[in-house]
Amino acid sequence: MSQEKWAALALESFDSVVAAIPGFRSRDGQRRMAEQVSRTFAQAQLGKIEEGAPEPKKSIAVVQAGTGVGKSLAYSVPAISTALARGTRVLISTATVALQEQLVNKDLPALAKQLPLPFKFALAKGRGRFVCKLKLERLSSTGEHTDEAEDLFAEEQAAQRKARPQAETEARIQFYARMADALATGEWDGDRDSMKTPPEPEAWSPVAAEGSSCTGKHCPVFSSCTYYERRKDMVAAQVIVANHDLLLSSLGARLLPELDNCLLVLDEAHHLPQTALSQFACEMDLSRLQWIDKLTSRALRVGQLMEVEEIAELPSHSAGLRQHLADLARLVMEIYGADLKGQKDSWGPARVRAPRGVLPEPLLAPLAQLMHHASGFLDALRAIAKALRAEIKDKPDEAQRLSALYAQVGTLAPRLEAVHDTAQLLSQQPEAQADGSLGVPNAKWFTLEIDGDYIVVKAHASPILPGATLRQHLWSQVRGAVLTSATLTSCGGFDFFLREAGLHGDAGVQTLEVASPFDYAAQGTLVAHQTHADPREAQAFTAEMVDALLNDLALVQAGALVLFTSRDQMRQAVDALPSHMRSYVLVQNAMPRAVLLADHRSRVESGLASIIFGMQSFGEGLDLPGALCESLFITKLPFAPPDDPVGESRAEWLRTSGRNPFNELVVPATAIRLAQWVGRAIRTEEDMAHVYCYDRRLVATSYGAQLLKGLPPFTLQKRLAH
């Protein structure tokens, strides 16, 4: 079938689905988006390419679709129709659990009833969301849990573990026994997210499935493994819903469909660059090193049992790792100790960054040695793992014992990988360019914190340009993709997002902006309150802002949302609340999110006022239509915190390259974040809302004018402080 026919069929499917929805209003913008998606996926050249053939045609669309356009319908129908016609699959990736749940529990089941051709869909989750039955068996019995329990609590919890009473240990064994019973009786399916009360990470971690300790099909309980059962659903599905973290962490791991032979949709795509930076950043602990001895003794014991020759060098690699990590910790304290120790009042660990990504010369030799020893150690572990898998295959009667040995070695292997990867990133010094400038550096920093009896020094490293990372790891594999969100343009254009996402200048990329169907000028008013105090003077500004905010909150009669830029700012506002208002102000983290939102809805539906105080995570993905959010209050422009080491490194590199990081990086990123925050106000064509912003920079600076350009065209009211 030709590209034109694929595109036409996909659009016909979209039109017929829309026509079949009772009372659904046709939206021009939604159809324009569906048309673009149909064309994009029809043009992508998928599958294996013959040797010597020209480069396959890539087809990628970047679509900003305003609130109310109906994005999920506009991309899912054409994508699924095209995939079924082409005999391939659709991979939809989101940033938030809320959107994943909406797609899997609501949108896709509805579509499955409406599309003429049947299709199956599945939710993809990381292995760590599922229980490992083998671990649970050992931990829920009193006989075999002790050896595994050594790894239940990393050294980080050593102080707490010493103090744990016997009764608590017994309670934990009972907890795992109840979990095992629920799994055995079918009361629970092994998915952490389906537990009535999901356990704390400390309790879940010991029983979580993980790649490094999993023998896969060689495991004695493989036939009933929760994770692999879910994998079967995925293999049978034509549509798979994942998230950006899983997408990036599983590149090359064959967990998700091959990206050169599927249709990829990235919803909430504005999160992709930050997810990439988080995914490819790494860290290593330079202080707590007992795990090396534990891993070495286990690897030697198992390696000797399996007669693995590669273990001969393990004692040397183990001693080298310990020595050079200790050397590195000592050198870091010699070079940076005064700076680190002088930050006692700082929030979180004390931190010091290597300027321009250039490490002092004395640190380079131990880093090179760390890479050498970690690499040799990892080679030995791979040989042991290979031998164990072969032995399990040959001796199925001993699979239980051999799988336990595999887990003992594999549980600690990720720490070794982290040492190797961090040392590698730290060792990369920026290269001098022909013009005398330095190339793009990695961000490199060290932290110091006190944890119980330990003084903990850690080394951290991260790429600073998400676009370069995504180009190398993601876009080199993708053939057909649609990236969409309500906020992809910044200050009136796509350039910033395209650069951040690694798509700038790519000939296979097209952009489309679809406006919201809402009449923002009639439905919403933006009140720009101009304080006397400069927002950069935090103390004076917060005091004045809180006064103005409380005056405005006194007028709230239905639902309202207040968004803060810092915990301290929110705390001051809470402290200043008059007693009568405290009963209907719901503060983020004071109760579980679901409970808070249910309380809010209940009050508003009863005709009472209800005000939510929240921070960044409440600034997007929160859907409060109608009376649930008639008033939105933005206390301050949501600039990123100035002390993020990756952002600092990037700004420093831009400055040394003669560029302006504020205009090039800070303003565009803030524009996207502010547009997300403002997007909480108007959610339907019937909504009416007031948005208040107390930061005078929005209407009093040139960059404020750029930020306004990226917001919906509300009726603007400027208000001077009394």
Side-chain angles (χ1 to χ4, degrees):
M1 195 181 290
S2 69
Q3 293 177 4
E4 289 78 12
K5 282 193 174 174
W6 278 329
L9 277 173
L11 198 56
E12 279 175 28
S13 292
F14 171 78
D15 288 337
S16 63
V17 166
V18 168
I21 299 173
F24 191 81
R25 299 184 192 175
S26 177
R27 299 167 182 166
D28 290 343
Q30 188 183 45
R31 194 176 191 280
R32 278 176 60 218
M33 180 175 173
E35 197 173 356
Q36 177 69 65
V37 174
S38 302
R39 195 164 52 245
T40 299
F41 284 148
Q43 290 172 353
Q45 192 177 342
L46 304 178
K48 300 265 183 287
I49 301 297
E50 296 289 324
E51 200 173 327
E55 279 286 301
K57 180 177 171 59
K58 275 171 48 174
S59 182
I60 297 174
V62 176
V63 183
Q64 174 168 294
T67 309
V69 165
K71 290 187 291 294
S72 58
L73 195 66
Y75 64 65
S76 53
V77 177
I80 294 167
S81 300
T82 305
L84 294 175
R86 297 189 65 171
T88 188
R89 301 203 282 171
V90 179
L91 173 58
I92 302 173
S93 180
T94 77
T96 62
V97 174
L99 182 54
Q100 276 188 316
E101 289 175 347
Q102 179 190 313
L103 287 164
V104 170
N105 299 329
K106 182 182 169 194
D107 297 351
L108 292 173
L111 269 185
K113 293 175 183 173
Q114 292 170 320
L115 284 175
L117 288 172
F119 70 88
K120 291 180 180 174
F121 57 89
L123 177 62
K125 293 183 181 181
R127 192 190 298 256
R129 310 301 291 180
F130 299 96
V131 75
C132 169
K133 288 189 174 180
L134 213 54
K135 288 182 182 179
L136 187 59
E137 279 178 24
R138 288 200 288 271
L139 287 169
S140 60
S141 66
T142 52
E144 274 193 85
H145 84 281
T146 48
D147 187 46
E148 190 75 10
E150 291 178 23
D151 289 337
L152 299 195
F153 316 99
E155 285 166 54
E156 290 85 326
Q157 282 91 41
Q160 296 94 309
R161 188 165 78 247
K162 282 177 195 166
R164 182 175 287 121
Q166 179 67 23
E168 188 177 333
T169 302
E170 289 173 4
R172 290 172 71 78
I173 293 170
Q174 288 172 9
F175 169 76
Y176 292 124
R178 286 196 301 274
M179 197 185 278
D181 288 345
L183 193 62
T185 58
E187 185 186 332
W188 175 50
D189 64 1
D191 181 341
R192 181 185 185 276
D193 299 320
S194 66
M195 296 180 81
K196 286 175 185 170
T197 308
E200 293 299 314
E202 187 197 5
W204 175 255
S205 175
V207 292
E210 53 183 6
S212 60
S213 60
C214 176
T215 53
K217 62 185 177 185
H218 305 301
C219 175
V221 293
F222 174 75
S223 61
S224 63
C225 174
T226 304
Y227 171 68
Y228 281 102
E229 280 299 311
R230 194 66 64 90
R231 284 285 303 274
K232 285 180 196 169
D233 294 341
M234 279 174 50
V235 170
Q238 288 83 28
V239 183
I240 293 163
V241 179
N243 62 39
H244 302 343
D245 270 315
L246 185 62
L247 171 68
L248 296 179
S249 65
S250 61
L251 290 172
R254 306 190 119 189
L255 169 64
L256 299 172
E258 292 180 358
L259 295 174
D260 61 359
N261 197 29
C262 79
L263 306 178
L264 175 65
V265 177
L266 290 158
D267 202 341
E268 301 178 313
H270 61 284
H271 282 285
L272 184 65
Q274 187 55 51
T275 305
L277 285 179
S278 302
Q279 194 62 238
F280 296 104
C282 47
E283 66 176 43
M284 60 179 171
D285 191 328
L286 307 181
S287 304
R288 296 172 294 204
L289 308 179
Q290 288 96 317
W291 65 271
I292 298 173
D293 299 336
K294 195 185 294 184
L295 179 57
T296 306
S297 65
R298 291 178 181 183
L300 284 170
R301 181 162 52 89
V302 178
Q304 285 162 358
L305 277 172
M306 296 294 108
E307 299 179 353
V308 175
E309 293 177 5
E310 288 88 343
I311 65 170
E313 297 298 315
L314 272 184
S316 164
H317 288 313
S318 173
L321 274 174
R322 252 191 172 284
Q323 181 63 53
H324 294 296
L325 282 165
D327 287 348
L328 199 58
R330 177 178 51 78
L331 288 164
V332 166
M333 290 310 291
E334 283 178 13
I335 296 167
Y336 299 113
D339 281 348
L340 288 167
K341 288 175 181 174
Q343 299 177 38
K344 287 180 181 167
D345 296 330
S346 64
W347 175 266
R351 184 179 67 223
V352 64
R353 184 176 60 82
R356 301 180 305 285
V358 178
L359 284 185
E361 193 70 29
L363 300 183
L364 298 180
L367 283 169
Q369 288 296 319
L370 277 178
M371 275 197 292
H372 165 70
H373 290 299
S375 185
F377 205 137
L378 285 166
D379 287 343
L381 291 186
R382 289 186 194 104
I384 292 168
K386 184 178 178 183
L388 273 170
R389 285 194 296 268
E391 189 83 348
I392 292 168
K393 187 178 179 183
D394 293 343
K395 299 177 181 175
D397 293 346
E398 294 188 42
Q400 188 97 8
R401 179 180 67 86
L402 294 167
S403 291
L405 295 178
Y406 191 101
Q408 283 176 24
V409 176
T411 298
L412 292 169
R415 291 190 177 209
L416 186 59
E417 290 166 354
V419 169
H420 180 271
D421 294 347
T422 310
Q424 189 173 46
L425 270 187
L426 286 169
S427 297
Q428 293 169 358
Q429 298 283 66
E431 295 177 10
Q433 306 297 296
D435 62 1
S437 65
L438 285 178
V440 182
N442 292 322
K444 302 170 187 179
W445 68 101
F446 301 94
T447 55
L448 172 72
E449 61 184 315
I450 309 297
D451 184 9
D453 298 335
Y454 291 98
I455 294 173
V456 182
V457 181
K458 290 183 180 178
H460 309 254
S462 171
I464 65 169
L465 295 183
T469 304
L470 286 165
R471 256 196 313 278
Q472 179 185 346
H473 295 284
L474 179 66
W475 303 124
S476 58
Q477 301 181 43
V478 171
R479 302 277 183 77
V482 169
L483 296 84
T484 188
S485 164
T487 51
L488 295 179
T489 60
S490 182
C491 307
F494 282 98
D495 282 1
F496 175 71
F497 175 75
L498 293 175
R499 278 198 306 273
E500 292 291 280
L503 294 171
H504 200 267
D506 191 319
V509 174
Q510 290 187 304
T511 61
L512 172 68
E513 185 174 356
V514 179
S516 168
F518 303 158
D519 184 350
Y520 282 108
Q523 290 179 251
T525 302
L526 173 58
V527 179
H529 180 95
Q530 298 173 72
T531 57
H532 296 298
D534 188 321
R536 290 169 296 185
E537 299 293 330
Q539 193 172 351
F541 170 76
T542 301
E544 187 181 348
M545 177 276 292
V546 167
D547 280 347
L549 173 65
L550 293 180
N551 283 333
D552 290 329
L553 290 180
L555 304 175
V556 168
Q557 295 182 335
L561 173 64
V562 186
L563 294 171
F564 296 90
T565 57
S566 74
R567 291 185 189 282
D568 188 57
Q569 202 189 48
M570 184 161 76
R571 181 189 57 74
Q572 289 187 51
V574 170
D575 290 347
L577 285 171
S579 54
H580 73 276
M581 206 178 274
R582 289 174 183 267
S583 62
Y584 59 90
V585 170
L586 304 168
V587 182
Q588 183 180 356
N589 296 333
M591 61 183 85
R593 181 181 171 124
V595 174
L596 182 149
L597 293 176
D599 282 2
H600 178 72
R601 183 179 296 276
S602 174
R603 281 192 64 86
V604 174
E605 286 175 352
S606 302
L608 301 171
S610 180
I611 301 167
I612 297 173
F613 276 15
M615 292 180 58
Q616 170 63 36
S617 61
F618 276 37
E620 56 179 288
L622 201 59
D623 192 23
L624 299 171
L628 294 176
C629 186
E630 288 187 348
S631 306
L632 172 70
F633 302 89
I634 295 171
T635 57
K636 197 174 184 181
L637 291 175
F639 289 107
D643 59 350
D644 162 47
V646 178
E648 278 179 354
S649 299
R650 189 168 174 188
E652 179 182 64
W653 172 69
L654 287 170
R655 276 193 297 271
T656 57
S657 307
R659 291 152 71 179
N660 184 323
F662 186 75
N663 291 338
E664 196 169 319
L665 192 60
V666 177
V667 172
T670 304
I672 288 177
R673 203 173 295 114
L674 182 63
Q676 277 289 336
W677 284 25
V678 169
R680 299 314 97 212
I682 305 285
R683 306 300 297 170
T684 74
E685 281 150 318
E686 287 76 39
D687 285 1
M688 304 289 286
H690 279 74
V691 178
Y692 298 80
C693 178
Y694 298 94
D695 194 322
R696 70 186 192 192
R697 294 173 292 184
L698 186 62
V699 288
T701 62
S702 56
Y703 63 82
Q706 288 179 272
L707 298 177
L708 274 173
K709 205 186 293 183
L711 297 181
F714 291 118
T715 298
L716 179 64
Q717 282 182 11
K718 295 181 185 179
R719 187 175 76 181
L720 294 171
H722 298 307

